[in-house]
Amino acid sequence: ERKRRLVEQLVAEGVVKTERVRNAMLRVPRHEFVWPSQLEYAYDDIPLPLGDTGQTISAPHMVAIMNELLEVQIGDRILEVGTGSGYHAATLAVLTCPSLDSPSPLVYTVEINSSLVKFAESNFMRLGFSRVIKVVEEDGSKGYPEASPYDRILVTAAAPKIPPPLIEQLKPSGRMVIPVQSRFFEQNLILVEKDVDGRVRKNNAGPVIFVPLRGDYGF
């Protein structure tokens, strides 16, 4: 009931705009992905800390905003940089494969923190997402070329600039959403679109606050 009220609040606020994103938010139980000590806050619209890792599970409104910008289509191959607890990847899995029954992964999510890799994998296994989502423990700022190119790329930590490997791994007609931090420490959510000829267009979707991206192309 708390989940339903939260999602309907996001619909009323105009954050959730499409039925597909609404359904994904309703299907994924956020309380199964929060750190155990944060369980009572699972359906508050705020980011929550993931233990002592220095990482967070994003606020539901930010997950919805990014998913709306991505415009995921059924069957899309998706790269997520920054798995965290796995909550956002789970919503992407529902968007690309509503049945959660795929012969091979469609969502590749890369996490640099080994304890979060284990936490996310256990969440996916317990909740039936493992056929659709593959977790990789690597430097996500370099993407994951083994499964590229991707129809959609999502980055859940702020980068100093858009990592060139992510642009390279994005398919023509693909979309990427990434928070980018300016030299004045402001962060903005950037929508990156690559056209059929490989030309890249960037649009600012507004100010945000994310943890910093780690790795070769991070901080």
Side-chain angles (χ1 to χ4, degrees):
E1 176 59 23
R2 290 184 62 200
K3 178 175 63 176
R4 186 193 63 77
R5 287 203 306 267
L6 170 63
V7 174
E8 294 311 320
Q9 172 190 328
L10 296 177
V11 171
E13 292 170 353
V15 174
V16 171
K17 303 175 187 299
T18 61
E19 191 64 21
R20 295 189 68 236
V21 170
R22 176 180 177 272
N23 288 339
M25 301 288 288
L26 285 171
R27 279 188 62 183
V28 178
R30 191 173 188 244
H31 66 274
E32 296 281 4
F33 290 91
V34 301
W35 211 253
S37 61
Q38 302 294 313
L39 188 60
E40 65 182 297
Y41 309 111
Y43 294 106
D44 291 349
D45 191 17
I46 55 175
L48 296 171
L50 294 171
D52 60 0
T53 64
Q55 307 300 307
T56 62
I57 177 172
S58 293
H61 76 270
M62 186 54 58
V63 173
I65 288 169
M66 297 174 91
N67 286 353
E68 292 284 9
L69 287 170
L70 282 172
E71 296 183 1
V72 175
Q73 305 300 306
I74 291 176
D76 276 353
R77 182 184 294 257
I78 303 171
L79 172 67
E80 179 191 47
V81 176
T83 313
S85 69
Y87 173 65
H88 204 149
T91 66
L92 295 173
V94 171
L95 287 168
T96 188
C97 185
S99 69
L100 298 182
D101 185 16
S102 175
S104 59
L106 288 170
V107 178
Y108 294 82
T109 180
V110 187
E111 174 57 56
I112 203 167
N113 184 297
S114 58
S115 64
L116 288 179
V117 168
K118 295 184 181 69
F119 184 56
E121 284 182 328
S122 68
N123 292 337
F124 296 145
M125 184 70 69
R126 185 179 71 257
L127 298 168
F129 288 94
S130 295
R131 289 177 65 88
V132 184
I133 304 174
K134 177 180 174 66
V135 186
V136 180
E137 184 178 347
E138 283 185 15
D139 174 1
S141 75
K142 297 187 287 190
Y144 184 60
E146 289 86 341
S148 68
Y150 301 96
D151 300 285
R152 302 289 186 265
I153 296 177
L154 172 73
V155 183
T156 63
K161 63 178 184 178
I162 300 171
L166 299 185
I167 294 176
E168 293 166 11
Q169 292 170 36
L170 185 64
K171 279 185 183 179
S173 301
R175 296 167 75 92
M176 170 167 45
V177 175
I178 177 172
V180 177
Q181 182 169 303
S182 75
R183 57 194 177 96
F184 301 109
F185 303 103
E186 299 169 341
Q187 294 180 10
N188 287 288
L189 193 62
I190 305 299
L191 170 63
V192 180
E193 297 175 277
K194 183 185 280 190
D195 69 17
V196 292
D197 297 314
R199 292 186 295 261
V200 172
R201 182 175 65 189
K202 304 169 190 174
N203 290 298
N204 189 336
V208 290
I209 301 175
F210 278 83
V211 298
L213 179 67
R214 294 170 56 193
D216 288 359
Y217 292 92
F219 291 97

